[in-house]
Amino acid sequence: MLAYTVKRLFTLIPTLLAASILVFLFVHLIPGDPAAILLGDTATPEEIAQLSAEMGFDRPLWIQYFLWLGNVLQGDLGISIFFREPVLAVIGSGAETSILLASMTMFWIILIGLPIGVLSATKHGTWVDQITSSGAMLAASMPTFWLGLYLIMIFSVTLGWFPSSGFPSLSDDGGITNLRYLILPSLTLAAPNAALIVRLVRASMLDVAREDHVRTARAKGLHPARVTIKHVFRNALIAVAAAFGFTFAALISEAVVTETVFSLPGIGRLVVQSILRRDYPVIQGVILVIVVLYMIINLLVDLAYARLDPRVSLK
Amino acid sequence: MKLKTWMKSALAVGALMSLTTGALADGMLRYATVGEPPSLDQQVVTSDLATTIAHHMFEGLYTFNGSNAPVPLLASGETVSEDGKTIVIGLRKGVQFHNGQAMTSADVLASLQRWGEFGSRGSLIFDHVDSVEATGDYEITLKLKEPFGPWKNLMAFINGGPAIYPASVVTGATKEPIAPENYIGTGPYKFNAWEANRYVELVSFDGYASPDGKADGYGGARVADFDTLRFIPVPDVGTRVAGVRAGDYDYAESIPGDLFAELDADAGVKTMLNGGPIFGLVFLNSSDGPLKENFALRRAIQTAIDKTPALQVAIGPEGLWRANGSFAPQGSVWATTSGTENYSKGDAEAAKSMAAAAGYDGQPIKFMVSTNYPFHYDSAIVYTKQLAQAGFNIDLQVYDWATLIEKRAQPDQWDLFFTHHGFVPDPILISVMNDNYPGWWATPEKKALKDRFTASSDPAERQAIWGEIQALIYEQVPTMKTGDVYTYNIASPKLSGLGEQTLIWPSFWNVSK
């Protein structure tokens, strides 16, 4: 497994190089000039061109790319045009929110999705299954901005139980209790994802339940709960594990709507705002980090497969 | 047993969380903004959001009182020579920068020099300046090439204006905005932190030397009653409104018109109308394409448009907009009806005949608009329909704002584009008066009037000349004003000292909770 892991880590290099070229080209080929955004509506073309040159954007694109790549190889993702801070620090500030939000969302997904999925599968065809499946469909269909705003209206404005928006860092005043800022957003984000996990667990368990080894286990007279947990649920987890991995990665990079509704300083909102501001170093840095994240999660999912299913061999 | 322990822990954390939810410091003002400013460097950045934050930190030699007249701020007063070409400005003594250093004429000189060369609005004055010198520790002398009437208004306008920085910060600074670690001003609040994507935070400045006199507009005494001002980006308007209602924010900006009636009736929220309206502008290309030098065709386009339906669609409640053809709002000394009979005719048949007479043969007219500002897009949709009814072949091109800004700098890329303008206290600051602003209106008639306008120091004469300029705008149509839009913000009723209206940008000195 160690050799496999090292080999996979080496394959990151050409992939990252290709990703860096694509990201750099896409970012610079879209129209728009960060100098124009900085100077505002009243700036003249001459003033914009002057600032653009001061920031080095008048150089040929390939020179800009290699300068950037050289710095990236030394661990320097550059300086944000907008924030005047190292890109790594800007990403780090967003990463705290995104990782905590994704983790809390995963907590809800596991807490809600897995038991209901198992219940739905074990009560297959009954009224319990009908209700849980309908509930899952409803949760999957609700737009997150709509659900988020309703949760704010009920739990923040009316009841005053949770803050309506924002997220101070855990290192700010309040410390660990600042996690309360993430309860409503994580529930918002968990609703559609938990619904998908319910559907996935249910479908996988029903598939596994029809297999010969499960029939054999039942024929041996094992307790039904033991059959469900040890023989059906565990085997169904193989498909669910991959979904968990990619859901976590997606929660970090794609929670834009939820981050916007709850005004969370996360990675998703950062990348969208950076595109609107044409903050090239931040866009490039964030996308590179997301690419790395997906590749690592892909690797972890493959390793988890091997752990869950001894038939899978890693070469 | 284990379950009981777990439940006890959860209850303890819950209790702690509920305690801290209510424990919000009264010494902090939390302001929900639409986003983050590009920079807080007032000399080069003209974003209104940047000024809303930065004018608590940075001050100029002058500012505006409640009647939008310039009054001294860091200046103690001035004398102007009889020929109007030498201006000696005295500086207040005892003013300290946030770094503890005393402000002297060396700092003012360095700031004015950088603003004159690189500031967004600096060239408007410095094109007329022969020299600027420190003629004493607390005295600055401006020598002009010719008399220049609007100098004090330009000095008092902090947005893109001459904020005073320490010489150590501003000497050698160029067009690139200065970095946050150098945000050192003389204002009642000083810079504390800019946490990317989270907030910009200012704290009260203990060494602040306030100007004397009763507070009036931005003039007079300033007292920092809050320990901290925190400006938090909250891009979603529903969240900004819910946040003020829930008590998570004390103030929220840019609330859409369709919520006005509901919020105005809500005792838990105070609506704050902005006294200085913004106004939409559709620029016409004077440099390239079918509209270049074809004033008759431009007048045909102007005649086709009825501004009121667009304002109704784009803004909503009638109290928030005014179909006003004067470039200055009603009540301003600059308001004039000159030329406004052509402001909003909405006569498709007349426009069709005028276009035919102007030689228009149906060629596409490229109209650029951005969806970043919904009122631009909504208005443009109405105008496109009206222009089509008058026989114009409009090619509506929808971009994000960054793309539109880049494209409008290229004369061959567009014929019309939609933008908007903030309230300005002197018409010289309106973008169409700048010959280099996209649209590039620089006719000899404009130059002659502009020269007279800037050379005069007599208020009555300047107002009369401005009337002639506005009439020329309606005749040559370098831009079309779409109407006045009174934006509004909402505040917690706990805030006192806000007054009834916002002057131009909200200010939080002399405000408490």
Side-chain angles (χ1 to χ4, degrees):
Chain A
M1 187 180 283
L2 181 66
Y4 173 81
T5 307
V6 172
K7 189 175 150 192
R8 282 287 298 274
L9 285 174
F10 271 105
T11 62
L12 282 175
I13 295 168
T15 314
L16 276 175
L17 199 63
S20 76
I21 294 171
L22 285 176
V23 168
F24 193 89
L25 282 179
F26 281 133
V27 166
H28 283 77
L29 288 179
I30 52 174
D33 187 337
I37 310 286
L38 275 177
L39 294 178
D41 192 43
T42 55
T44 61
E46 292 73 25
E47 289 170 333
I48 293 167
Q50 185 188 352
L51 179 56
S52 199
E54 280 180 28
M55 293 193 293
F57 294 126
D58 60 337
R59 294 180 214 170
L61 205 55
W62 64 272
I63 291 183
Q64 290 185 51
Y65 172 73
F66 281 109
L67 283 173
W68 173 71
L69 187 66
N71 290 332
V72 168
L73 291 175
Q74 296 171 58
D76 176 9
L77 292 178
I79 303 287
S80 161
I81 296 167
F82 196 78
F83 296 114
R84 315 280 200 290
E85 272 186 57
V87 170
L88 267 178
V90 174
I91 295 174
S93 153
E96 181 198 5
T97 309
S98 291
I99 290 170
L100 287 170
L101 177 64
S103 304
M104 200 180 272
T105 304
M106 288 304 289
F107 171 76
W108 297 124
I109 291 172
I110 292 168
L111 194 73
I112 300 165
L114 281 186
I116 295 180
V118 172
L119 184 69
S120 188
T122 51
K123 301 288 181 184
H124 173 58
T126 67
W127 63 270
V128 175
D129 183 29
Q130 294 285 334
I131 288 175
T132 51
S133 295
S134 305
M137 285 301 290
L138 184 68
S141 336
M142 272 190 292
T144 47
F145 71 87
W146 180 87
L147 178 62
L149 284 174
Y150 266 87
L151 289 179
I152 290 173
M153 289 308 293
I154 295 167
F155 292 103
S156 301
V157 178
T158 308
L159 298 172
W161 289 0
F162 299 105
S164 60
S165 52
F167 173 64
S169 166
L170 293 185
S171 58
D172 282 0
D173 291 348
I176 191 79
T177 62
N178 288 340
L179 285 176
R180 71 186 188 278
Y181 283 84
L182 296 180
I183 291 176
L184 295 184
S186 60
L187 282 170
T188 304
L189 207 48
N193 288 294
L196 292 176
I197 293 296
V198 167
R199 304 283 298 167
L200 189 62
V201 168
R202 178 182 179 276
S204 301
M205 284 184 67
L206 289 177
D207 276 351
V208 175
R210 291 187 197 103
E211 289 188 10
D212 291 344
H213 71 276
V214 176
R215 196 178 303 119
T216 307
R218 288 203 180 104
K220 277 171 28 187
L222 284 180
H223 191 278
R226 191 174 165 82
V227 174
T228 301
I229 300 299
K230 191 166 182 188
H231 294 276
V232 180
F233 180 64
R234 178 169 175 173
N235 285 297
L237 266 185
I238 294 167
V240 178
F244 273 139
F246 289 107
T247 300
F248 188 81
L251 287 174
I252 287 185
S253 58
E254 295 167 10
V256 182
V257 176
T258 307
E259 287 176 8
T260 302
V261 169
F262 288 94
S263 188
L264 299 177
I267 294 278
R269 206 181 87 187
L270 175 67
V271 76
V272 171
Q273 293 297 322
S274 300
I275 289 168
L276 291 175
R277 298 167 189 145
R278 304 295 192 267
D279 193 343
Y280 299 147
V282 175
I283 306 170
Q284 290 157 192
V286 171
I287 295 180
L288 264 193
V289 167
I290 289 173
V291 168
V292 172
L293 181 74
Y294 266 89
M295 294 174 82
I296 290 173
I297 285 178
N298 201 6
L299 174 62
L300 291 175
V301 167
D302 286 350
L303 296 176
Y305 269 144
R307 181 86 183 155
L308 290 167
D309 186 351
R311 292 169 301 176
V312 175
S313 61
L314 302 173
K315 290 178 183 171
Chain B
M1 185 66 188
K2 275 183 182 172
L3 185 64
K4 276 185 181 171
T5 312
W6 183 87
M7 283 178 70
K8 278 180 188 169
S9 308
L11 282 171
V13 170
L16 187 61
M17 282 183 171
S18 59
L19 275 176
T20 51
T21 304
L24 291 165
D26 279 349
M28 179 187 286
L29 177 112
R30 296 149 305 166
Y31 183 122
T33 65
V34 291
E36 282 173 292
S39 158
L40 298 179
D41 183 350
Q42 281 303 276
Q43 292 201 348
V44 297
V45 170
T46 57
S47 142
D48 281 323
L49 174 54
T51 302
T52 297
I53 301 171
H55 76 144
H56 295 89
M57 290 191 292
F58 301 124
E59 296 177 321
L61 296 176
Y62 296 87
T63 189
F64 290 105
N65 66 14
S67 312
N68 282 316
V71 291
L73 182 55
L74 292 175
S76 56
E78 76 284 335
T79 53
V80 182
S81 65
E82 268 191 27
D83 65 359
K85 289 165 68 173
T86 303
I87 302 163
V88 180
I89 302 172
L91 306 176
R92 276 172 45 217
K93 292 175 182 166
V95 173
Q96 261 186 48
F97 283 107
H98 299 149
N99 60 2
Q101 176 201 328
M103 182 200 76
T104 67
S105 58
D107 304 300
V108 176
L109 178 66
S111 298
L112 291 179
Q113 283 172 332
R114 190 261 185 152
W115 181 62
E117 188 171 2
F118 299 106
S120 292
R121 303 183 199 275
S123 63
L124 288 170
I125 286 188
F126 274 74
D127 284 352
H128 305 268
V129 169
D130 205 20
S131 70
V132 54
E133 289 172 44
T135 44
D137 285 349
Y138 295 95
E139 187 180 280
I140 286 284
T141 300
L142 277 165
K143 289 198 172 149
L144 304 178
K145 295 173 190 165
E146 61 274 320
F148 183 67
W151 71 270
K152 207 195 282 189
N153 276 343
L154 290 176
M155 288 273 196
F157 198 62
I158 193 76
N159 174 270
I164 302 302
Y165 304 127
S168 56
V169 165
V170 81
T171 304
T174 61
K175 190 78 191 165
E176 189 166 356
I178 58 171
E181 61 266 27
N182 289 323
Y183 290 163
I184 298 167
T186 56
Y189 288 93
K190 63 180 181 180
F191 181 74
N192 186 43
W194 187 334
E195 293 285 333
N197 244 355
R198 290 176 187 275
Y199 56 79
V200 178
E201 189 173 276
L202 316 183
V203 292
S204 62
F205 173 43
D206 294 338
Y208 181 61
S210 169
D212 295 329
K214 187 170 176 281
D216 176 19
Y218 299 129
R222 297 177 168 195
V223 178
D225 281 321
F226 288 104
D227 300 329
T228 307
L229 305 181
R230 186 175 275 191
F231 298 87
I232 306 158
V234 185
D236 186 82
V237 68
T239 313
R240 290 201 295 279
V241 172
V244 172
R245 282 177 154 164
D248 292 325
Y249 306 119
D250 303 300
Y251 198 94
E253 66 179 11
S254 290
I255 311 298
D258 51 9
L259 293 177
F260 185 74
E262 181 192 338
L263 291 169
D264 207 33
D266 185 343
V269 172
K270 184 179 181 190
T271 51
M272 296 289 305
L273 214 58
N274 283 8
I278 61 169
F279 50 95
L281 289 173
V282 177
F283 272 85
L284 293 86
N285 193 335
S286 299
S287 174
D288 200 353
L291 304 180
K292 180 187 174 186
E293 291 171 3
N294 193 341
F295 301 132
L297 182 55
R298 295 187 200 189
R299 284 194 290 272
I301 290 173
Q302 181 173 257
T303 301
I305 294 176
D306 179 359
K307 309 287 173 40
T308 302
L311 288 163
Q312 287 168 331
V313 168
I315 310 298
E318 289 203 4
L320 297 181
W321 56 266
R322 188 169 288 146
N324 172 27
S326 164
F327 277 69
Q330 282 182 5
S332 160
V333 293
W334 300 106
T336 168
T337 54
S338 295
T340 56
E341 63 276 11
N342 295 313
Y343 161 64
S344 180
K345 285 193 165 170
D347 186 340
E349 289 310 313
K352 205 176 274 184
S353 324
M354 290 165 73
Y360 180 63
D361 58 2
Q363 65 193 107
I365 292 176
K366 289 171 278 191
F367 185 6
M368 297 198 303
V369 67
S370 167
T371 46
N372 286 46
Y373 299 98
F375 101 81
H376 292 192
Y377 181 72
D378 293 344
S379 304
I381 292 290
V382 176
Y383 293 169
T384 300
K385 188 168 168 45
Q386 291 177 346
L387 288 165
Q389 282 169 349
F392 289 99
N393 178 10
I394 299 295
D395 173 14
L396 187 68
Q397 302 186 352
V398 183
Y399 299 110
D400 79 321
W401 187 242
T403 305
L404 188 146
I405 287 180
E406 178 166 298
K407 282 189 171 286
R408 75 179 189 187
Q410 302 162 37
D412 60 336
Q413 292 290 308
W414 61 278
D415 300 308
L416 308 171
F417 80 85
F418 205 118
T419 183
H420 70 267
H421 207 293
F423 170 75
V424 287
D426 192 302
I428 194 70
L429 289 161
I430 299 175
S431 48
V432 74
M433 295 299 287
N434 181 345
D435 297 357
N436 296 319
Y437 188 82
W440 304 280
W441 182 48
T443 59
E445 296 82 2
K446 174 192 178 186
K447 184 178 183 315
L449 283 172
K450 190 178 166 187
D451 286 349
R452 282 175 53 210
F453 183 64
T454 54
S456 171
S457 299
D458 175 37
E461 188 186 14
R462 293 191 73 226
Q463 285 162 22
I465 301 168
W466 169 245
E468 291 179 55
I469 295 174
Q470 184 173 290
L472 185 68
I473 291 174
Y474 278 103
E475 187 192 326
Q476 297 192 340
V477 202
T479 189
M480 295 184 289
K481 184 184 173 188
T482 67
D484 289 333
V485 177
Y486 291 83
T487 56
Y488 74 101
N489 303 328
I490 55 173
S492 159
K494 290 177 185 167
L495 293 185
S496 60
L498 281 172
E500 290 307 307
Q501 282 197 332
T502 306
L503 191 56
I504 306 176
W505 311 281
S507 58
F508 297 100
W509 56 83
N510 306 336
V511 174
S512 58
K513 170 161 79 163

